[in-house]
Amino acid sequence: MTENTQQQTAANPELPTQYAPAEVEGKLYERWVERGYFEADENSDKPPYTIVIPPPNVTGSLHLGHAFEHTLIDALTRRKRMQGYETLWQPGMDHAGIATQNVVERELAKEGKSRHDLGREAFVERVWQWKAESGGQISGQMKRLGDGVDWSRERFTMDEGLSQSVQTIFKKLYDDELIYRAERIINWCPRCLTAISDIEVEYQDDDGELVSIRYGEGDASIVVATTRAETMLGDTAVAVHPEDERYKHLVGTEIELPLTGRRIPVVADEHVDPEFGTGAVKVTPAHDPNDFEIGQRHGLPNLAVMDERAVITAHGPFQGLDRLEARSAIVAALRAEGRIVAEKRPYTHSVGHCSRCKTTIEPRLSMQWWVKVGTLAQAAGDAVRDGKVKIHPQEMEKRYFDWVDNLHDWCISRQLWWGHRIPVWYGPNGEVVCVGPDEQPPTGEGWHQDTDVLDTWFSSGLWPFSTLGWPEQTDSLAKFYPNSVLVTGYDILFFWVARMMMFGLYAMDGTPPFHTIALHGMVRDQNGKKMSKSFGNVVNPLDWMDEYGSDAVRFTLANGANPGVDVPIGEDWVKASRNFANKIWNATRFALMNGATVEGPLPDPSEMSATDRWILSRLNKTVAEVDAFYDDYQFAKLADALYHFAWDEVFDWYVELSKTTFFAGGDQAKVSGRVLGEVLDVMLRLLHPIVPFVTETLWTTLTGKESVVIADWPTDSGFRDDPAEKEIELVQQVVTEVRRFRSDQGLQPGQKVPARLDLAGTALAPHEAAIRQLLRLQPEGEGFSATASLPIAGATVALDLSGTIDVAAERKRLAKDLAAAEKEKAQANGKLGNEAFLAKAPDNVVDKIRTRLAKADEDIARIQAQLERLPQA
């Protein structure tokens, strides 16, 4: 909508008969960006409100999880902007080391090439080229959703400024002896050919085999069980518990390791569980993290028997076999020697897989770079314990403490080419030099830089302050750090949140990166099932946006967002939200056509009807309620409150109750028109953070002002009118009861019925015209016969149904229904009174019968009441 069009529309408040999201959403978003509504000013005197976007992978596209999270963040930032805060929603993307390298390597494979054909420098250039051409499509999709981010501040974890931040903190940690290089067991992906962290390993139940193998001979033999028989080639001991009487005579001796000709010691270690299996375990220090620890305690050698592609390197007949091929061959060879004591196949057990390529990971002894997390993790835990940082919902604190209080040192090196290269140089005589961003690396013959890059989470852990210019002490950093709140899924509490907490506290002199961590759940399908391509239930939110509009998708997601709880979502719910947007549109259009206005001050309450005072009282209570829900991150509750206020109270009751006033015209119509304008103005501003597009169109049309994006957030004026609320509750009670009666008698909603209303002496008297309008009740007229009389709320509504229903036929129908309900009750009572049946029947069957009995009782009471209300035939 152009500015001229907007002004014309405001001057002549007419709206199209139907709301067409596709025709307005893109244009509105472009206008918001062009006018700089989302840009944050670090020199502003306004109080700051900062949220960073959890940076999506540059390889990614908008999925429902993104749409969900972005809707919540956008709602928070739009509200705060309206409340007068200098609001920064920081956008950007993560370089996603493994994922991005995999994408480009697949592209090269189509050309019959590998990264090694290009070399490191040319390959990295190729990745940058891919990023420029294909990466970042999610940015355009975020605009489709309506994300109010400050695009002028968009950052990328590999851009120059953030790379300087990474190098700076690496150097600082290194100098403080919190980064070190050591050979340890890591999770290794034989497909991606890199180390991955514990939290990038996905565990799933796989069918494998459990084989029990006899080591040694006779009394000097021990049976061990393993699911990875191929690793026995690297065994350097067998371990038993020190107190296990079965093996005490063997501790300190050596036994023969089958197939190898080597002899290995039997060691005593308290790590071994004597109650599990045979109480003895094979020890392979180079290929198992627990075995590595045992090996360290007992000075065992580390014998690696697989290369980086999980191919056997041990000398002998198995050399050159893949680990799975070797597993079968070794079991066969052991069986041939009579060493297999037992086999269990299939044996289902939990197996770790690379989260990127799904390959089974291989524990591997490797020289890697590590962060010593002890003091960092302690600080991250204390910040929450001391109340500096709040976790919402609070019950998620336990999961956070369970993680940070038991955190192992973090392996930060990755054997990739795409990423922040480790800023360490090695000299010809064993020198090791860590280079900061303002320092020159050493040169000369024999000097070379470490070939590894840093874990992606290392750079994204700096996100709350690196995006603001750190290590430079910028105005943006001073204004917008720390973040006000972090909104993210509980699934990356460990991946990302803990990293940011450790780095923020360390780099920013003990100031945590955010005041509050608001955790949300995962989006699932309408049956609560995880969305997965293999299940065929993955939804592209863009398809729903195309079909129903972005507002409908946003409202559906917000309406399911209970803190820390997974969110089911189905297309029918999006359709319902589309209907809600249409309801807002149609009702506002009707209001504008019937005198709703925001011009001039609100009339004095003494000039208002009870209906006017009621809706203003309810409006202010809703403002207070919505504010409380926002402050507690209760998105589902605030969305529900707004839905019911708008649809039920404003559109279904206030507008309908006021129609007779509007149609009559005069001063009272002007008063109600101003009240209705006020209600719509406030309601649209309350709804705007969740459904920004439809509210922008309607609010600018209603008010003639520039944009609801920069409008003031509504405040509770304190106006309350409990007597008016009680009065309208009586009206609602009468209308609801009579509508129910009409429905019970089979009357159509629009069917007119003669009626006499005895409202004298009650608070209902001023509302007779509105009640008749809502209930389609005609004046009683000549020949009126009160065939049904309904006493409600101290009043009486008498109806003449003689010309509208066949009373005899209706009595016959109800009598048939009553007989069926009584038969159902008798059958249920018969079963529940049968002791033999109750003794044998499952609990769920008995519960169903009790439910049937309760339903039958309800039906009987309802039908009898209908029969009593029918006129005599």
Side-chain angles (χ1 to χ4, degrees):
M1 183 186 294
T2 66
E3 192 168 359
N4 289 337
T5 304
Q6 176 193 328
Q7 291 171 348
Q8 290 168 3
T9 307
N12 181 22
E14 292 184 4
L15 292 166
T17 54
Q18 291 184 325
Y19 177 50
E23 295 179 13
V24 300
E25 289 179 349
K27 295 175 183 177
L28 285 179
Y29 192 85
E30 287 177 11
R31 189 179 74 180
W32 292 336
V33 173
E34 287 171 2
R35 295 187 176 185
Y37 293 156
F38 305 139
E39 293 181 10
D41 180 5
E42 61 265 25
N43 297 312
S44 165
D45 292 332
K46 297 178 181 177
Y49 187 80
T50 316
I51 296 181
V52 294
I53 190 173
N57 288 353
V58 69
T59 58
S61 59
L62 190 75
H63 56 64
L64 266 178
H66 288 126
F68 172 55
E69 186 169 79
H70 290 200
T71 294
L72 305 187
I73 299 175
D74 197 40
L76 290 173
T77 52
R78 284 179 182 269
R79 172 177 175 253
K80 284 297 182 180
R81 189 178 293 111
M82 295 171 75
Q83 285 183 316
Y85 287 78
E86 193 60 44
T87 303
L88 170 61
W89 182 8
Q90 173 69 56
M93 285 181 290
D94 191 282
H95 65 279
I98 296 176
T100 306
Q101 180 156 319
N102 283 346
V103 168
V104 178
E105 286 194 87
R106 284 196 295 268
E107 293 295 316
L108 285 174
K110 295 176 184 177
E111 304 170 14
K113 298 178 182 178
S114 74
R115 60 179 163 129
H116 301 286
D117 294 322
L118 272 66
R120 182 167 192 149
E121 188 175 337
F123 176 77
V124 170
E125 183 58 37
R126 180 69 176 263
V127 181
W128 278 108
Q129 179 184 337
W130 175 87
K131 191 253 179 189
E133 295 174 356
S134 307
Q137 64 173 319
I138 198 170
S139 296
Q141 296 164 347
M142 287 165 58
K143 294 174 183 177
R144 282 285 313 278
L145 187 64
D147 286 4
V149 300
D150 185 347
W151 291 110
S152 69
R153 294 173 178 264
E154 188 175 13
R155 303 305 296 269
F156 180 53
T157 50
M158 285 282 286
D159 68 26
E160 184 178 352
L162 270 65
S163 295
Q164 183 184 33
S165 300
V166 169
Q167 194 171 352
T168 299
I169 201 162
F170 187 98
K171 170 71 170 173
K172 180 174 170 59
L173 288 162
Y174 184 87
D175 289 346
D176 287 345
E177 298 183 350
L178 293 174
I179 281 183
Y180 63 95
R181 193 168 185 244
E183 190 176 42
R184 291 187 178 182
I185 292 284
I186 46 86
N187 303 301
W188 181 265
C189 176
R191 158 62 184 80
C192 298
L193 298 180
T194 183
I196 61 175
S197 65
D198 291 343
I199 49 182
E200 291 171 303
V201 177
E202 293 179 348
Y203 287 90
Q204 66 184 49
D205 287 340
D206 288 355
D207 285 338
E209 60 182 355
L210 180 69
V211 293
S212 297
I213 309 167
R214 178 172 53 83
Y215 288 12
E217 302 293 343
D219 291 340
S221 67
I222 294 182
V223 174
V224 298
T226 181
T227 58
R228 302 165 66 217
E230 68 279 8
T231 63
M232 68 161 290
L233 300 176
D235 285 1
T236 57
V238 171
V240 298
H241 193 273
E243 302 302 322
D244 195 331
E245 294 293 336
R246 293 171 295 176
Y247 303 116
K248 276 193 173 183
H249 67 291
L250 292 176
V251 174
T253 68
E254 290 186 342
I255 59 174
E256 184 175 343
L257 178 66
L259 306 181
T260 67
R262 289 191 291 114
R263 295 186 67 79
I264 58 176
V266 178
V267 299
D269 195 280
E270 291 189 353
H271 169 76
V272 179
D273 181 0
E275 303 298 324
F276 183 77
T278 64
V281 296
K282 58 190 288 297
V283 182
T284 321
H287 293 281
D288 184 274
N290 293 321
D291 293 2
F292 177 79
E293 297 296 332
I294 293 175
Q296 292 289 295
R297 288 193 288 272
H298 296 276
L300 300 175
N302 301 316
L303 181 59
V305 295
M306 276 182 256
D307 68 10
E308 61 183 7
R309 298 184 185 275
V311 172
I312 300 298
T313 58
H315 295 296
F318 312 109
Q319 186 175 8
L321 295 180
D322 173 78
R323 56 182 167 168
L324 298 181
E325 296 171 331
R327 183 175 300 170
S328 299
I330 288 170
V331 170
L334 289 167
R335 190 182 299 113
E337 289 192 3
R339 294 283 177 180
I340 300 296
V341 176
E343 295 181 69
K344 186 174 182 180
R345 189 183 298 110
Y347 177 72
T348 302
H349 60 130
S350 182
V351 178
H353 295 259
C354 173
S355 62
R356 300 298 181 188
C357 70
K358 310 310 177 187
T359 301
T360 300
I361 61 104
E362 188 65 42
R364 183 169 187 250
L365 188 64
S366 179
M367 183 67 76
Q368 301 285 344
W369 285 95
W370 304 81
V371 172
K372 191 183 297 183
V373 300
T375 57
L376 302 175
Q378 177 70 38
D382 289 346
V384 175
R385 272 185 280 265
D386 297 344
K388 291 181 180 177
V389 178
K390 305 289 187 185
I391 293 181
H392 186 88
Q394 190 174 3
E395 54 265 28
M396 286 286 182
E397 282 186 2
K398 183 180 184 302
R399 296 182 65 178
Y400 177 79
F401 292 136
D402 286 347
W403 178 256
V404 297
D405 292 346
N406 298 285
L407 200 57
H408 297 295
D409 283 2
W410 172 20
C411 177
I412 57 171
S413 46
R414 300 292 181 266
Q415 289 65 56
L416 304 171
W417 286 357
W418 172 245
H420 297 100
R421 196 159 170 184
I422 288 177
V424 171
W425 271 254
Y426 305 106
N429 299 311
E431 301 95 334
V432 179
V433 176
C434 180
V435 178
D438 300 321
E439 300 171 353
Q440 291 297 319
T443 57
E445 187 175 349
W447 283 94
H448 63 280
Q449 187 177 0
D450 195 300
T451 57
D452 288 352
V453 300
L454 287 163
D455 177 11
T456 296
W457 297 103
F458 190 93
S459 52
S460 60
L462 313 179
W463 193 247
F465 52 93
S466 64
T467 51
L468 299 173
W470 186 90
E472 300 298 324
Q473 297 304 305
T474 64
D475 291 341
S476 289
L477 188 65
K479 179 74 173 180
F480 296 115
Y481 187 90
N483 288 194
S484 306
V485 61
L486 173 73
V487 179
T488 192
Y490 62 69
D491 59 320
I492 58 173
L493 182 62
F494 316 131
F495 281 89
W496 189 44
V497 179
R499 310 295 192 216
M500 288 189 289
M501 285 287 282
M502 290 191 297
F503 280 166
L505 289 160
Y506 173 73
M508 300 300 293
D509 299 322
T511 302
F514 18 75
H515 297 301
T516 301
I517 302 168
L519 297 170
H520 58 72
M522 303 295 99
V523 177
R524 297 182 177 269
D525 72 12
Q526 61 190 25
N527 299 313
K529 194 172 184 179
K530 180 181 178 181
M531 288 193 174
S532 166
K533 290 180 181 178
S534 60
F535 296 153
N537 61 351
V538 174
V539 173
N540 183 348
L542 296 172
D543 293 340
W544 280 353
M545 283 187 246
D546 290 340
E547 181 72 19
Y548 306 111
S550 297
D551 284 334
V553 174
R554 290 171 62 114
F555 191 82
T556 304
L557 292 166
N559 204 30
N562 289 297
V565 179
D566 288 347
V567 183
I569 183 172
E571 188 168 5
D572 287 345
W573 304 339
V574 184
K575 289 179 183 177
S577 296
R578 184 270 316 272
N579 295 342
F580 179 49
N582 288 340
K583 181 76 171 181
I584 299 170
W585 181 273
N586 293 332
T588 303
R589 183 172 177 271
F590 169 84
L592 289 170
M593 293 170 60
N594 287 275
T597 179
V598 295
E599 295 180 7
L602 270 176
D604 189 84
S606 63
E607 301 175 40
M608 299 179 189
S609 67
T611 308
D612 294 333
R613 298 194 306 276
W614 162 74
I615 197 62
L616 287 177
S617 183
R618 290 295 309 130
L619 175 69
N620 280 285
K621 286 183 179 179
T622 301
V623 170
E625 190 176 31
V626 168
D627 274 335
F629 286 144
Y630 261 118
D631 292 341
D632 198 34
Y633 304 100
Q634 297 281 358
F635 296 97
K637 290 182 179 179
L638 72 90
D640 186 67
L642 287 169
Y643 176 91
H644 287 293
F645 175 73
W647 194 305
D648 298 344
E649 297 187 297
V650 178
F651 303 144
D652 280 359
W653 284 110
Y654 180 73
V655 170
E656 293 299 321
L657 285 169
S658 301
K659 278 183 178 179
T660 53
T661 301
F662 289 132
F663 295 160
D667 290 343
Q668 193 57 52
K670 292 179 180 178
V671 170
S672 294
R674 180 63 188 88
V675 169
L676 179 54
E678 181 75 10
V679 171
L680 291 176
D681 171 19
V682 173
M683 183 193 74
L684 291 171
R685 283 185 282 152
L686 288 174
L687 282 164
H688 172 73
I690 299 178
V691 284
F693 295 107
V694 67
T695 52
E696 172 79 339
T697 305
L698 295 174
W699 189 84
T700 53
T701 301
L702 172 70
T703 65
K705 295 180 181 178
E706 182 180 340
S707 174
V708 70
V709 177
I710 54 173
D712 290 337
W713 180 252
T715 56
D716 177 7
S717 71
F719 178 80
R720 302 287 189 274
D721 195 322
D722 291 337
E725 290 197 39
K726 290 178 181 177
E727 185 171 322
I728 300 305
E729 283 173 9
L730 293 176
V731 175
Q732 292 172 327
Q733 183 181 346
V734 169
V735 172
T736 300
E737 289 292 326
V738 176
R739 279 177 174 166
R740 185 181 294 118
F741 176 77
R742 286 176 57 111
S743 176
D744 288 344
Q745 308 313 313
L747 296 176
Q748 296 300 313
Q751 191 171 350
K752 294 183 179 179
V753 178
R756 177 190 299 131
L757 272 60
D758 183 5
L759 310 178
T762 73
L764 296 165
H767 304 282
E768 179 170 352
I771 292 171
R772 286 186 177 276
Q773 170 74 23
L774 288 168
L775 292 172
R776 305 294 189 268
L777 301 180
Q778 292 178 314
E780 49 197 277
E782 188 176 347
F784 176 83
S785 175
T787 58
S789 184
L790 307 178
I792 309 168
T796 302
V797 178
L799 304 174
D800 183 354
L801 304 179
S802 57
T804 56
I805 61 172
D806 183 334
V807 175
E810 186 65 14
R811 281 190 175 278
K812 186 175 180 181
R813 181 185 71 80
L814 289 172
K816 183 178 179 181
D817 290 348
L818 181 60
E822 288 173 338
K823 182 179 179 181
E824 174 75 3
K825 178 178 180 178
Q827 289 176 341
N829 274 327
K831 289 185 177 180
L832 293 174
N834 186 334
E835 294 296 335
F837 170 79
L838 292 176
K840 295 179 181 178
D843 289 346
N844 65 319
V845 172
V846 176
D847 288 342
K848 284 182 179 179
I849 295 171
R850 289 193 175 112
T851 301
R852 283 170 49 195
L853 176 61
K855 175 69 165 51
D857 282 334
E858 291 176 5
D859 289 344
I860 290 168
R862 174 179 56 80
I863 295 167
Q864 287 175 338
Q866 289 176 242
L867 283 167
E868 289 173 5
R869 287 175 171 175
L870 276 176
Q872 297 301 312

